Amino acid sequence: MKNKKLLLVLLALLTALVLAACTANEDAGEPEGADAGETEEGEGQDEEAAGEKVLRLNNGVEPTSLDPSIGFDQVSWDPLNNLMEGLTRLDQDHVAGPGVAEDWDVSEDGLTYTFHLREDANWSNGDPVVAEDFVYAWKYMLEPANASSAAFLAYFIEGAEAFNNGEGSAEDVNITAVDEKTLEVVLEAPTGFFLDVLTNPAFFPVNHKVAEENPDWHAEADSFVANGPFLLESWDHDSEMVFAKNPEYWDAGAVNLDKIHFAMVNDENTQYQMFETGELDSIGDATSIPAEMSDELIDGDNVFIGDYGGLEFFRFNITEEPFQNKNIRKAFAYAINREDIANYVVKNGVEPAYGFVSPGFTTPDGGDFRDANGNLVEFDPDTAKELLEQGMEEEGYSELPSIVLSYNTSDTNKAVAESIQNMLSENLGVEVSLENQEWNVFAEAQQNLELQLSRSSFINDYSDPVNFLESFITDSYMNRTGWSNEEYDELIEKGKTETDEEQRYEYLYEAERLLAEEMVAMPIRYYNTVVLEADHVEGILRHPVGYFDLKYTDVTE
């Protein structure tokens, strides 16, 4: 790579920087508290001497869980997306195509999907993948006692929400194993993007016979059963996972790699040094590229930069003063220079966010949702001051109550929070104090509406703009603002169920504009993917919305 010697010298001066992408479960699984893993160098040499194709990656930390319903985060779902496969799988064009289901039928009313499973779809232990494996897995996800954070994704299915909320029974969930290789699913309402939803790891099957015999089947390598391109050969917890090609996978002939080693190194300095010495073949998927190095790295060789559907934003708790007032919330939003935060704080080529839905969602006429709905918030200090004055007058404030901005611990989060603190002081004359909390404490406090103004992030779970927008409906697990708006709820419902795509998008445009008008959250910047990849690696499939796919990956001499 260019400037390699310079980079290595600078790296010695860097401090650890953690910025893990999150899923809809709000930063769950951010790398923290894990010990750096070490590569089994001797073992790797033996593998390569035997002519095996071996890929070395970094997962950052231990997966939260390899139970598809429970590990609701990137550090779990990246591995799961290569160990397992759902009814559909994102193809090389990022479109939901056949997976375990080789084809399917959809009823004229758009409500009933009949999936035909492949006869040669098997588990790594030789058991056939059957329709009952999906019935078992999805009802397990929806079972209230299991408290799956992913359960809301299944609410498109008839009876799913009522069962998950304790108001219905498992029998009411309208999924049926018609026979061993036929699965029928009935939806609450037509959902044109349902096949894309099913690519999410939460909808992966579970070998029901294995799970009934051993509920902890997913916790160790010797009990884990896979149905994807790879199987779990070994798992040294908090250190390393080793995947091997799964000979029982229906499309094993398309799989090039023999082994994948996943390190668990949550220090950017260490992982970069491992990349430079060849101990890792690619970095940046589960752990970030240091912001201090981004200018040099982005201009160097071996860099992949791609879209990644997601948003960093800050939530206002409208149940606490002064954020019950809309104009005060909007004043804060207009006082933030997002371009400076993107270019000089986060770096890595990220884009400032002037709306909530990230770029990359194609509209019915072939455009981009973000372009179609335009900028919904700007950096405008004069307007910010006017809005603040108006809001304070409405509330009878001679001065604002004290304000605390909270963020979960990481160097980048701290830098962004400090930038916002300075901008609010400079542009509004408002002094804000900062507090940081470790992730588990922070997440619980935010969920319980104990934080006044707090950092948040969202990574799309499926490829449709409604996925982010639905987070702010009344009583959503993801709302975390205390806000409820009947008009907004109705727009989101129409945005899920309308069968005319042009009209459906109109509802979504209107919903996003309403969210911006109420400003219960202020967007900061969109996510992207910046990855360093060795010359001998090819074919890692990174989806703008989804989890990386190693099925077609190869390593060359």
Side-chain angles (χ1 to χ4, degrees):
M1 297 191 57
K2 295 179 181 179
N3 303 322
K4 185 181 294 185
K5 291 182 179 179
L6 173 61
L7 296 183
L8 289 173
V9 171
L10 291 172
L11 279 167
L13 304 176
L14 293 177
T15 56
L17 174 64
V18 176
L19 178 59
C22 59
T23 65
N25 192 24
E26 187 61 52
D27 278 344
E30 278 202 342
E32 53 180 74
D35 296 327
E38 296 181 357
T39 302
E40 298 290 340
E41 187 175 351
E43 178 185 343
Q45 291 173 348
D46 290 343
E47 291 168 344
E48 285 146 10
E52 293 186 336
K53 293 187 174 184
V54 181
L55 181 70
R56 302 183 183 282
L57 302 176
N58 181 24
N59 201 56
V61 294
E62 174 89 350
T64 305
S65 174
L66 291 184
D67 178 340
S69 295
I70 303 302
F72 193 60
D73 48 51
Q74 184 188 10
V75 295
S76 302
W77 280 357
D78 273 341
L80 276 169
N81 199 46
N82 295 284
L83 290 168
M84 304 185 78
E85 183 172 85
L87 294 167
T88 58
R89 187 179 190 92
L90 290 176
D91 63 20
Q92 289 165 299
D93 295 320
H94 317 300
V95 175
V100 172
E102 60 184 349
D103 56 39
W104 47 83
D105 305 307
V106 184
S107 62
E108 287 188 12
D109 62 6
L111 294 177
T112 302
Y113 286 69
T114 304
F115 295 94
H116 306 287
L117 278 56
R118 300 177 186 276
E119 290 297 329
D120 55 352
N122 294 321
W123 292 97
S124 54
N125 67 352
D127 291 345
V129 179
V130 296
E132 186 60 35
D133 294 332
F134 288 93
V135 174
Y136 177 91
W138 296 4
K139 289 188 177 182
Y140 177 91
M141 172 172 60
L142 291 164
E143 168 59 56
N146 293 329
S148 168
S149 298
F152 75 97
L153 293 173
Y155 286 2
F156 298 104
I157 300 170
E158 187 175 77
E161 183 172 8
F163 173 45
N164 187 240
N165 289 338
E167 299 170 358
S169 68
E171 290 71 28
D172 296 330
V173 181
N174 207 335
I175 48 178
T176 306
V178 177
D179 57 41
E180 277 206 343
K181 292 291 186 175
T182 308
L183 179 73
E184 183 181 272
V185 183
V186 180
L187 306 185
E188 289 278 2
T191 306
F193 49 89
F194 184 62
L195 295 175
D196 193 276
V197 174
L198 294 181
T199 66
N200 188 285
F203 292 94
F204 288 166
V206 169
N207 187 317
H208 71 283
K209 292 181 180 178
V210 169
E212 286 167 353
E213 184 175 329
N214 176 16
D216 295 323
W217 65 274
H218 50 82
E220 300 293 343
D222 59 4
S223 56
F224 191 92
V225 284
N227 76 316
F230 300 94
L231 54 80
L232 185 56
E233 183 176 83
S234 65
W235 188 357
D236 183 5
H237 291 282
D238 295 308
S239 180
E240 184 186 51
M241 295 179 292
V242 178
F243 293 5
K245 182 175 179 178
N246 180 7
E248 294 288 343
Y249 180 53
W250 67 269
D251 199 20
V255 179
N256 300 303
L257 297 174
D258 295 299
K259 297 282 182 69
I260 306 168
H261 287 247
F262 280 97
M264 299 177 194
V265 177
N266 68 345
D267 182 282
E268 281 77 7
N269 298 354
T270 303
Q271 73 153 356
Y272 186 83
Q273 290 166 349
M274 291 173 70
F275 176 74
E276 286 291 294
T277 58
E279 295 174 84
L280 292 174
D281 296 315
S282 180
I283 60 172
D285 286 296
T287 52
S288 66
I289 303 300
E292 292 88 343
M293 305 301 297
S294 67
D295 293 340
E296 295 91 340
L297 294 176
I298 286 176
D299 291 336
D301 302 327
N302 310 101
V303 178
F304 169 86
I305 302 175
D307 293 331
Y308 196 66
L311 176 76
E312 179 177 21
F313 62 104
F314 281 74
R315 299 178 195 267
F316 296 106
N317 181 352
I318 72 166
T319 70
E320 288 197 14
E321 294 190 72
F323 298 126
Q324 78 281 4
N325 185 278
K326 177 176 70 175
N327 285 319
I328 293 176
R329 299 194 298 266
K330 292 174 72 173
F332 274 53
Y334 277 82
I336 305 305
N337 188 330
R338 292 157 181 79
E339 187 171 355
D340 280 358
I341 291 176
N343 292 341
Y344 304 118
V345 180
V346 181
K347 300 186 177 182
N348 283 314
V350 302
E351 294 291 332
Y354 301 107
F356 295 97
V357 174
S358 59
F361 294 100
T362 304
T363 61
D365 62 2
D368 189 279
F369 183 101
R370 185 69 278 128
D371 293 335
N373 221 25
N375 292 347
L376 302 180
V377 60
E378 303 277 1
F379 172 51
D380 188 339
D382 291 336
T383 297
K385 290 173 184 174
E386 292 173 5
L387 287 166
L388 180 63
E389 183 178 347
Q390 183 178 343
M392 291 180 66
E393 183 176 341
E394 289 168 350
E395 300 298 330
Y397 293 146
S398 57
E399 61 181 37
L400 286 179
S402 60
I403 296 170
V404 178
L405 184 155
S406 304
Y407 62 93
N408 54 300
T409 304
S410 95
D411 286 351
T412 297
N413 293 351
K414 178 182 179 182
V416 171
E418 289 175 342
S419 296
I420 291 174
Q421 180 187 43
N422 292 335
M423 291 172 184
L424 291 173
S425 176
E426 180 178 346
N427 299 324
L428 280 184
V430 173
E431 300 304 319
V432 172
S433 59
L434 304 181
E435 69 168 8
N436 71 294
Q437 298 176 342
E438 292 304 313
W439 169 248
N440 289 336
V441 174
F442 175 85
E444 183 176 358
Q446 188 183 68
Q447 182 64 43
N448 293 336
L449 296 181
E450 296 169 0
L451 305 181
Q452 193 178 16
L453 173 61
S454 59
R455 180 196 176 268
S456 296
S457 63
F458 184 92
I459 299 299
N460 283 77
D461 301 299
Y462 55 89
S463 188
D464 193 90
V466 77
N467 185 209
F468 175 84
L469 297 173
E470 69 180 337
S471 298
F472 293 92
I473 62 173
T474 302
D475 295 331
S476 167
Y477 166 81
M478 288 297 299
N479 189 315
R480 306 178 190 182
T481 65
W483 183 64
S484 174
N485 185 292
E486 185 176 344
E487 180 185 358
Y488 186 83
D489 293 350
E490 290 176 358
L491 287 169
I492 297 302
E493 182 63 25
K494 292 176 181 177
K496 289 182 175 181
T497 60
E498 173 60 55
T499 56
D500 181 314
E501 277 295 280
E502 289 189 3
Q503 181 59 60
R504 189 173 78 86
Y505 266 70
E506 288 299 326
Y507 291 135
L508 297 179
Y509 296 146
E510 189 176 348
E512 190 192 34
R513 291 194 294 266
L514 178 55
L515 189 61
E517 172 60 27
E518 292 292 320
M519 202 62 73
V520 294
M522 60 178 180
I524 300 297
R525 54 99 177 187
Y526 301 117
Y527 281 106
N528 67 353
T529 298
V530 179
V531 176
L532 302 185
E533 198 168 276
D535 289 332
H536 62 269
V537 177
E538 57 185 36
I540 297 179
L541 184 56
R542 296 180 170 91
H543 303 291
V545 176
Y547 304 88
F548 70 63
D549 191 337
L550 305 174
K551 176 177 176 176
Y552 303 106
T553 302
D554 203 355
V555 292
T556 59
E557 294 297 330

